[in-house]
Amino acid sequence: MLEDLDPELLQIARAGVAAGARLLRTAETGTIRSKDDRDFVTDLDMRIQDTVQAFLDDATGPGFDFLGEEDTGSSSETGSRWRWILDPIDGTSNFIHGIPLCAVSLALARDEVPVIGVIGAPLLGTEYYAARGAGAYVVADHFTRRLHASTTESVAGAVVSIGDYATGAGAAAKNARRLALTTELAAHAERVRMLGTAALDLAWVAQGRTDACVLLSNKPWDTAAGVTLVREADGRVVDADGADYRLDSTSVIASGHRITSDLLALIDAPATV
């Protein structure tokens, strides 16, 4: 059961993501603009955010705050205990370059805890969804399957994805740590991957496609939906200090329970770089 969540909220979230995913699959990209050093936004990012936000406002009314990655001037903060968190295109650089690893990512947080997550990856023909207490699921090829995180028992047998290297101010210092982490994982994991989209990093951990992901930053619009997926797939999501993930965590480490401690030890090794 959905604990004390209204089941309709999950359906609203799925419908909102479906509306955004249709645009991601069929609409023109439009103008591509620079937000920062090697960080881009397209007209389509803005259009999807406006479309999904308008849908959510109509469906749930004024009792729900909204946080979107792209600042359209319409993000709302009323002090509600409920907040929608949206990334209209997670993996924009992938999308711009025609790489199909990109997604619409929507979470609902209650009291700053993610409780619903939906990720639509229309260029892969895939939707992921989860609600606290109700499990996590993937819809692909007209089939719905329940998700289960990996039960791999060692990092040596794990495929681990890592987040993008940093750009913008302070990138050199941030990337020193990321490169050190890459070296540690390359020496210990079966394989290391970089997908370029945190939403799918987390969704694939929930699905058991990868055994873990390590993101040395945390932007809630990138991660909140996927965190719910991993937790409902019987995985674990923690910060680099081993504390359970929070919206204000500085890192996001997701995996099956059996390798979390070993992963944290590897992450700690380059932490002082």
Side-chain angles (χ1 to χ4, degrees):
M1 61 179 295
L2 290 170
E3 294 187 351
D4 56 343
L5 292 175
D6 182 346
E8 185 179 0
L9 289 172
L10 175 59
Q11 299 312 312
I12 289 170
R14 293 183 66 190
V17 168
R22 282 192 294 273
L23 291 172
L24 182 56
R25 185 178 67 252
T26 63
E28 294 293 326
T29 304
T31 302
I32 301 169
R33 295 180 298 282
S34 176
K35 293 197 294 185
D36 199 352
D37 172 37
R38 292 167 289 160
D39 188 16
F40 301 96
V41 62
T42 70
D43 286 346
L44 187 55
D45 287 87
M46 311 295 281
R47 182 178 174 189
I48 292 173
Q49 178 160 311
D50 288 345
T51 297
V52 176
Q53 183 177 3
F55 173 83
L56 296 173
D57 286 346
D58 288 342
T60 57
F64 290 72
D65 286 346
F66 178 85
L67 172 65
E69 178 180 10
E70 311 307 339
D71 181 12
T72 62
S74 57
S75 295
S76 61
E77 293 291 339
T78 65
S80 171
R81 64 187 302 216
W82 297 94
R83 179 163 57 157
W84 294 108
I85 304 172
L86 173 70
D87 191 339
I89 305 179
D90 186 57
T92 297
S93 287
N94 282 353
F95 174 71
I96 290 170
H97 287 275
I99 299 170
L101 296 176
C102 53
V104 180
S105 180
L106 177 66
L108 179 62
R110 182 173 60 186
D111 299 326
E112 296 299 289
V113 177
V115 293
I116 286 175
V118 182
I119 296 171
L123 303 186
L124 301 177
T126 306
E127 178 207 17
Y128 299 91
Y129 66 89
R132 193 173 70 180
Y137 300 85
V138 59
V139 183
D141 299 323
H142 306 292
F143 291 97
T144 301
R145 299 179 178 86
R146 189 155 186 169
L147 299 180
H148 300 281
S150 167
T151 57
T152 297
E153 296 188 354
S154 71
V155 174
V159 175
V160 182
S161 68
I162 58 175
D164 281 342
Y165 294 126
T167 60
K174 294 175 183 176
N175 284 331
R177 186 181 179 199
R178 285 161 171 75
L179 288 165
L181 172 64
T182 302
T183 299
E184 286 292 320
L185 288 171
H188 293 89
E190 179 181 330
R191 291 293 186 275
V192 181
R193 299 287 182 257
M194 183 183 286
L195 306 182
T197 157
L200 291 180
D201 279 315
L202 289 158
W204 285 14
V205 171
Q207 193 172 5
R209 280 185 167 178
T210 56
D211 301 287
C213 72
V214 180
L215 313 173
L216 293 182
S217 64
N218 174 40
K219 297 175 181 176
W221 46 81
D222 291 337
T223 58
V227 165
T228 305
L229 286 167
V230 173
R231 286 174 169 169
E232 288 299 314
D234 198 28
R236 188 177 176 197
V237 191
V238 298
D239 203 335
D241 63 2
D244 285 342
Y245 168 89
R246 306 171 305 278
L247 291 181
D248 63 353
S249 291
T250 58
S251 301
V252 185
I253 295 92
S255 65
H257 283 267
R258 299 183 183 184
I259 63 171
T260 303
S261 295
D262 289 343
L263 265 179
L264 288 173
L266 289 177
I267 293 164
D268 187 55
T272 58
V273 173

